[in-house]
mmCIF file of all heavy atoms in Angstrom:
data_model
loop_
_atom_site.group_PDB
_atom_site.id
_atom_site.type_symbol
_atom_site.label_atom_id
_atom_site.label_comp_id
_atom_site.label_asym_id
_atom_site.label_seq_id
_atom_site.Cartn_x
_atom_site.Cartn_y
_atom_site.Cartn_z
ATOM 1 N N SER A 24 66.836 -13.155 -5.802
ATOM 2 C CA SER A 24 65.583 -13.977 -5.774
ATOM 3 C C SER A 24 64.321 -13.230 -5.739
ATOM 4 O O SER A 24 63.290 -13.802 -5.534
ATOM 5 C CB SER A 24 65.569 -14.905 -4.519
ATOM 6 O OG SER A 24 66.690 -15.841 -4.515
ATOM 7 N N PHE A 25 64.380 -11.888 -6.022
ATOM 8 C CA PHE A 25 63.199 -11.198 -6.009
ATOM 9 C C PHE A 25 62.246 -11.514 -7.107
ATOM 10 O O PHE A 25 62.733 -11.746 -8.362
ATOM 11 C CB PHE A 25 63.462 -9.679 -6.087
ATOM 12 C CG PHE A 25 64.143 -9.073 -4.858
ATOM 13 C CD1 PHE A 25 65.567 -8.860 -4.842
ATOM 14 C CD2 PHE A 25 63.401 -8.816 -3.761
ATOM 15 C CE1 PHE A 25 66.148 -8.387 -3.738
ATOM 16 C CE2 PHE A 25 64.073 -8.412 -2.566
ATOM 17 C CZ PHE A 25 65.377 -8.155 -2.571
ATOM 18 N N VAL A 26 60.982 -11.677 -6.885
ATOM 19 C CA VAL A 26 60.011 -12.108 -7.827
ATOM 20 C C VAL A 26 59.541 -10.950 -8.642
ATOM 21 O O VAL A 26 59.185 -9.869 -8.098
ATOM 22 C CB VAL A 26 58.799 -12.845 -7.207
ATOM 23 C CG1 VAL A 26 57.764 -13.230 -8.191
ATOM 24 C CG2 VAL A 26 59.269 -13.993 -6.348
ATOM 25 N N VAL A 27 59.395 -11.067 -9.934
ATOM 26 C CA VAL A 27 58.843 -10.039 -10.853
ATOM 27 C C VAL A 27 57.382 -10.133 -10.779
ATOM 28 O O VAL A 27 56.717 -11.102 -11.219
ATOM 29 C CB VAL A 27 59.347 -10.223 -12.314
ATOM 30 C CG1 VAL A 27 58.756 -9.184 -13.162
ATOM 31 C CG2 VAL A 27 60.788 -10.140 -12.322
ATOM 32 N N ARG A 28 56.742 -9.054 -10.276
ATOM 33 C CA ARG A 28 55.243 -9.050 -10.135
ATOM 34 C C ARG A 28 54.527 -8.495 -11.308
ATOM 35 O O ARG A 28 53.365 -8.868 -11.575
ATOM 36 C CB ARG A 28 54.882 -8.236 -8.956
ATOM 37 C CG ARG A 28 55.519 -8.649 -7.579
ATOM 38 C CD ARG A 28 54.928 -10.110 -7.175
ATOM 39 N NE ARG A 28 55.429 -10.536 -5.886
ATOM 40 C CZ ARG A 28 55.261 -11.744 -5.403
ATOM 41 N NH1 ARG A 28 54.612 -12.590 -6.107
ATOM 42 N NH2 ARG A 28 55.747 -12.030 -4.215
ATOM 43 N N GLN A 29 55.293 -7.661 -12.072
ATOM 44 C CA GLN A 29 54.624 -7.077 -13.285
ATOM 45 C C GLN A 29 55.467 -7.434 -14.541
ATOM 46 O O GLN A 29 56.454 -6.730 -14.873
ATOM 47 C CB GLN A 29 54.559 -5.549 -13.147
ATOM 48 C CG GLN A 29 53.642 -5.069 -11.973
ATOM 49 C CD GLN A 29 53.837 -3.702 -11.647
ATOM 50 O OE1 GLN A 29 54.916 -3.094 -11.478
ATOM 51 N NE2 GLN A 29 52.720 -2.941 -11.688
ATOM 52 N N SER A 30 55.224 -8.504 -15.163
ATOM 53 C CA SER A 30 55.999 -9.047 -16.257
ATOM 54 C C SER A 30 56.007 -8.168 -17.420
ATOM 55 O O SER A 30 56.930 -8.325 -18.367
ATOM 56 C CB SER A 30 55.585 -10.483 -16.594
ATOM 57 O OG SER A 30 54.255 -10.501 -17.047
ATOM 58 N N ASN A 31 55.060 -7.283 -17.612
ATOM 59 C CA ASN A 31 54.997 -6.438 -18.842
ATOM 60 C C ASN A 31 55.947 -5.193 -18.753
ATOM 61 O O ASN A 31 55.910 -4.401 -19.734
ATOM 62 C CB ASN A 31 53.570 -5.974 -19.094
ATOM 63 C CG ASN A 31 52.941 -5.179 -17.911
ATOM 64 O OD1 ASN A 31 53.531 -5.217 -16.841
ATOM 65 N ND2 ASN A 31 51.877 -4.417 -18.247
ATOM 66 N N ARG A 32 56.685 -5.036 -17.723
ATOM 67 C CA ARG A 32 57.640 -3.911 -17.612
ATOM 68 C C ARG A 32 58.801 -4.067 -18.557
ATOM 69 O O ARG A 32 59.341 -5.233 -18.690
ATOM 70 C CB ARG A 32 58.137 -3.710 -16.143
ATOM 71 C CG ARG A 32 57.129 -3.041 -15.230
ATOM 72 C CD ARG A 32 57.724 -2.913 -13.915
ATOM 73 N NE ARG A 32 57.865 -4.097 -13.139
ATOM 74 C CZ ARG A 32 58.861 -4.610 -12.493
ATOM 75 N NH1 ARG A 32 60.039 -3.962 -12.619
ATOM 76 N NH2 ARG A 32 58.850 -5.710 -11.871
ATOM 77 N N SER A 33 59.258 -2.979 -19.208
ATOM 78 C CA SER A 33 60.478 -3.077 -20.039
ATOM 79 C C SER A 33 61.671 -3.314 -19.258
ATOM 80 O O SER A 33 62.559 -4.102 -19.597
ATOM 81 C CB SER A 33 60.600 -1.729 -20.898
ATOM 82 O OG SER A 33 59.431 -1.546 -21.678
ATOM 83 N N PHE A 34 61.823 -2.658 -18.083
ATOM 84 C CA PHE A 34 62.993 -2.762 -17.214
ATOM 85 C C PHE A 34 62.610 -3.483 -15.949
ATOM 86 O O PHE A 34 61.661 -3.106 -15.276
ATOM 87 C CB PHE A 34 63.643 -1.441 -16.974
ATOM 88 C CG PHE A 34 64.761 -1.613 -15.917
ATOM 89 C CD1 PHE A 34 65.905 -2.211 -16.291
ATOM 90 C CD2 PHE A 34 64.656 -0.907 -14.703
ATOM 91 C CE1 PHE A 34 67.035 -2.293 -15.396
ATOM 92 C CE2 PHE A 34 65.724 -1.014 -13.844
ATOM 93 C CZ PHE A 34 66.893 -1.657 -14.172
ATOM 94 N N LYS A 35 63.282 -4.581 -15.555
ATOM 95 C CA LYS A 35 62.994 -5.323 -14.350
ATOM 96 C C LYS A 35 64.199 -5.206 -13.418
ATOM 97 O O LYS A 35 65.262 -5.738 -13.588
ATOM 98 C CB LYS A 35 62.733 -6.754 -14.695
ATOM 99 C CG LYS A 35 61.544 -7.014 -15.660
ATOM 100 C CD LYS A 35 61.368 -8.457 -16.015
ATOM 101 C CE LYS A 35 60.100 -8.628 -16.833
ATOM 102 N NZ LYS A 35 60.224 -7.979 -18.178
ATOM 103 N N THR A 36 64.000 -4.292 -12.394
ATOM 104 C CA THR A 36 64.952 -4.120 -11.355
ATOM 105 C C THR A 36 65.482 -5.435 -10.742
ATOM 106 O O THR A 36 66.550 -5.619 -10.356
ATOM 107 C CB THR A 36 64.447 -3.151 -10.292
ATOM 108 O OG1 THR A 36 63.843 -2.087 -10.863
ATOM 109 C CG2 THR A 36 65.579 -2.725 -9.352
ATOM 110 N N GLU A 37 64.475 -6.354 -10.663
ATOM 111 C CA GLU A 37 64.803 -7.603 -9.944
ATOM 112 C C GLU A 37 65.852 -8.443 -10.689
ATOM 113 O O GLU A 37 66.478 -9.400 -10.152
ATOM 114 C CB GLU A 37 63.496 -8.476 -9.879
ATOM 115 C CG GLU A 37 62.341 -7.861 -9.053
ATOM 116 C CD GLU A 37 61.470 -6.874 -9.996
ATOM 117 O OE1 GLU A 37 61.930 -6.618 -11.201
ATOM 118 O OE2 GLU A 37 60.456 -6.575 -9.488
ATOM 119 N N TYR A 38 66.114 -8.148 -11.964
ATOM 120 C CA TYR A 38 67.068 -8.899 -12.782
ATOM 121 C C TYR A 38 68.541 -8.268 -12.734
ATOM 122 O O TYR A 38 69.417 -8.919 -13.226
ATOM 123 C CB TYR A 38 66.610 -8.986 -14.244
ATOM 124 C CG TYR A 38 65.482 -9.963 -14.481
ATOM 125 C CD1 TYR A 38 64.846 -9.882 -15.739
ATOM 126 C CD2 TYR A 38 64.947 -10.769 -13.497
ATOM 127 C CE1 TYR A 38 63.756 -10.773 -16.003
ATOM 128 C CE2 TYR A 38 63.920 -11.576 -13.694
ATOM 129 C CZ TYR A 38 63.336 -11.627 -15.022
ATOM 130 O OH TYR A 38 62.286 -12.425 -15.208
ATOM 131 N N VAL A 39 68.642 -7.078 -12.072
ATOM 132 C CA VAL A 39 69.976 -6.409 -12.231
ATOM 133 C C VAL A 39 71.033 -7.246 -11.444
ATOM 134 O O VAL A 39 72.061 -7.595 -12.071
ATOM 135 C CB VAL A 39 69.879 -5.043 -11.498
ATOM 136 C CG1 VAL A 39 71.273 -4.462 -11.417
ATOM 137 C CG2 VAL A 39 69.052 -4.091 -12.342
ATOM 138 N N ILE A 40 70.790 -7.704 -10.252
ATOM 139 C CA ILE A 40 71.765 -8.457 -9.480
ATOM 140 C C ILE A 40 72.089 -9.817 -10.142
ATOM 141 O O ILE A 40 73.254 -10.147 -10.428
ATOM 142 C CB ILE A 40 71.381 -8.722 -8.059
ATOM 143 C CG1 ILE A 40 71.332 -7.305 -7.346
ATOM 144 C CG2 ILE A 40 72.267 -9.651 -7.291
ATOM 145 C CD1 ILE A 40 72.724 -6.637 -7.215
ATOM 146 N N PRO A 41 70.975 -10.632 -10.508
ATOM 147 C CA PRO A 41 71.335 -11.938 -11.176
ATOM 148 C C PRO A 41 72.057 -11.828 -12.465
ATOM 149 O O PRO A 41 72.893 -12.611 -12.799
ATOM 150 C CB PRO A 41 69.960 -12.614 -11.334
ATOM 151 C CG PRO A 41 68.942 -11.576 -11.046
ATOM 152 C CD PRO A 41 69.556 -10.575 -10.152
ATOM 153 N N GLN A 42 71.809 -10.767 -13.168
ATOM 154 C CA GLN A 42 72.429 -10.617 -14.508
ATOM 155 C C GLN A 42 73.917 -10.165 -14.255
ATOM 156 O O GLN A 42 74.814 -10.629 -14.985
ATOM 157 C CB GLN A 42 71.765 -9.496 -15.282
ATOM 158 C CG GLN A 42 70.446 -10.045 -15.897
ATOM 159 C CD GLN A 42 69.592 -9.035 -16.752
ATOM 160 O OE1 GLN A 42 70.121 -7.891 -16.801
ATOM 161 N NE2 GLN A 42 68.561 -9.409 -17.351
ATOM 162 N N LEU A 43 74.207 -9.376 -13.190
ATOM 163 C CA LEU A 43 75.595 -9.074 -12.821
ATOM 164 C C LEU A 43 76.283 -10.342 -12.306
ATOM 165 O O LEU A 43 77.462 -10.560 -12.691
ATOM 166 C CB LEU A 43 75.651 -8.015 -11.701
ATOM 167 C CG LEU A 43 75.230 -6.556 -12.107
ATOM 168 C CD1 LEU A 43 75.133 -5.739 -10.903
ATOM 169 C CD2 LEU A 43 76.224 -6.011 -13.114
ATOM 170 N N ILE A 44 75.554 -11.228 -11.694
ATOM 171 C CA ILE A 44 76.074 -12.534 -11.222
ATOM 172 C C ILE A 44 76.562 -13.291 -12.479
ATOM 173 O O ILE A 44 77.543 -13.937 -12.471
ATOM 174 C CB ILE A 44 75.111 -13.267 -10.386
ATOM 175 C CG1 ILE A 44 74.978 -12.604 -9.028
ATOM 176 C CG2 ILE A 44 75.512 -14.731 -10.216
ATOM 177 C CD1 ILE A 44 73.826 -13.187 -8.153
ATOM 178 N N MET A 45 75.630 -13.347 -13.452
ATOM 179 C CA MET A 45 75.884 -14.155 -14.655
ATOM 180 C C MET A 45 77.090 -13.629 -15.395
ATOM 181 O O MET A 45 77.979 -14.384 -15.798
ATOM 182 C CB MET A 45 74.672 -14.118 -15.613
ATOM 183 C CG MET A 45 74.835 -14.854 -16.893
ATOM 184 S SD MET A 45 75.691 -13.915 -18.223
ATOM 185 C CE MET A 45 74.457 -12.663 -18.600
ATOM 186 N N LEU A 46 77.224 -12.276 -15.553
ATOM 187 C CA LEU A 46 78.399 -11.699 -16.239
ATOM 188 C C LEU A 46 79.658 -12.031 -15.427
ATOM 189 O O LEU A 46 80.726 -12.391 -16.100
ATOM 190 C CB LEU A 46 78.206 -10.190 -16.355
ATOM 191 C CG LEU A 46 77.071 -9.753 -17.304
ATOM 192 C CD1 LEU A 46 76.883 -8.298 -17.248
ATOM 193 C CD2 LEU A 46 77.435 -10.183 -18.807
ATOM 194 N N ALA A 47 79.633 -11.930 -14.162
ATOM 195 C CA ALA A 47 80.843 -12.168 -13.335
ATOM 196 C C ALA A 47 81.227 -13.693 -13.325
ATOM 197 O O ALA A 47 82.428 -14.037 -13.487
ATOM 198 C CB ALA A 47 80.569 -11.751 -11.869
ATOM 199 N N ALA A 48 80.225 -14.530 -13.198
ATOM 200 C CA ALA A 48 80.479 -16.024 -13.166
ATOM 201 C C ALA A 48 81.035 -16.447 -14.524
ATOM 202 O O ALA A 48 81.941 -17.227 -14.655
ATOM 203 C CB ALA A 48 79.205 -16.749 -12.908
ATOM 204 N N ASN A 49 80.519 -15.899 -15.573
ATOM 205 C CA ASN A 49 80.928 -16.218 -16.944
ATOM 206 C C ASN A 49 82.398 -15.770 -17.100
ATOM 207 O O ASN A 49 83.283 -16.574 -17.682
ATOM 208 C CB ASN A 49 80.115 -15.421 -18.019
ATOM 209 C CG ASN A 49 80.271 -16.046 -19.395
ATOM 210 O OD1 ASN A 49 80.920 -17.071 -19.559
ATOM 211 N ND2 ASN A 49 79.613 -15.401 -20.341
ATOM 212 N N GLU A 50 82.682 -14.551 -16.703
ATOM 213 C CA GLU A 50 84.156 -14.055 -16.809
ATOM 214 C C GLU A 50 85.133 -14.856 -15.923
ATOM 215 O O GLU A 50 86.293 -14.956 -16.223
ATOM 216 C CB GLU A 50 84.120 -12.520 -16.381
ATOM 217 C CG GLU A 50 85.443 -11.846 -16.752
ATOM 218 C CD GLU A 50 85.349 -10.354 -16.610
ATOM 219 O OE1 GLU A 50 84.249 -9.824 -16.644
ATOM 220 O OE2 GLU A 50 86.346 -9.699 -16.517
#
């Protein structure tokens, strides 16, 4: 649930966990 404060960044650390959740839930 971490909020992205700087949307212009190429890499968003805040998305690492939710994207891992998506990959796991999909599998």
Side-chain angles (χ1 to χ4, degrees):
S24 297
F25 292 101
V26 177
V27 177
R28 300 297 183 187
Q29 299 167 307
S30 59
N31 60 341
R32 281 184 284 131
S33 297
F34 175 66
K35 299 178 176 64
T36 312
E37 300 87 347
Y38 286 173
V39 171
I40 294 298
Q42 288 178 354
L43 288 174
I44 290 173
M45 181 275 291
L46 291 171
N49 196 7
E50 193 169 338

